[in-house]
Amino acid sequence: MNENQIAFIICADNVQYYNECVRYINELEVPEQFTTDIICIQEADNMIQGYRAGMQASDAKYKVYLRQDVFILNPKFLHELLQLF
């Protein structure tokens, strides 16, 4: 398990929405010593199957599961997430 990695797992079937979602993720402030990874799951039979595939594809300690049409507006989201966990 990578203790210093945060993975964003996104189920996507629309490239435009996915790109916009990624744009917001890339604008987040990443805490020192942490890295982020974005995993796009396409062509899953359903969201549960997609998220499970993303879970298995990453060894990040922290995983954020998103739909392609979710845009994280708070630039301090990752800092606040780490305070919770």
Side-chain angles (χ1 to χ4, degrees), residues 3-82:
E3 300 280 330
N4 295 320
Q5 186 172 45
I6 303 166
F8 291 89
I9 300 168
I10 305 168
C11 284
D13 62 2
N14 180 299
V15 174
Q16 187 174 2
Y17 277 133
Y18 171 75
N19 289 337
E20 188 73 5
C21 180
V22 169
R23 184 177 72 80
Y24 280 93
I25 291 170
N26 287 333
E27 292 179 4
L28 297 175
E29 295 176 14
V30 179
E32 287 185 34
Q33 301 179 342
F34 278 86
T35 60
T36 60
D37 187 21
I38 299 173
I39 300 169
C40 179
I41 305 296
Q42 296 177 316
E43 300 180 17
D45 290 338
N46 56 58
M47 288 182 70
I48 294 170
Q49 180 189 26
Y51 289 146
R52 184 170 290 128
M55 180 188 308
Q56 294 169 349
S58 175
D59 70 341
K61 179 176 182 178
Y62 304 98
K63 296 179 175 82
V64 179
Y65 299 88
L66 299 171
R67 287 173 30 126
Q68 65 194 4
D69 58 353
V70 173
F71 310 125
I72 302 172
L73 301 176
N74 179 358
K76 300 220 180 262
F77 172 78
L78 297 177
H79 293 278
E80 293 175 10
L81 175 81
L82 292 172

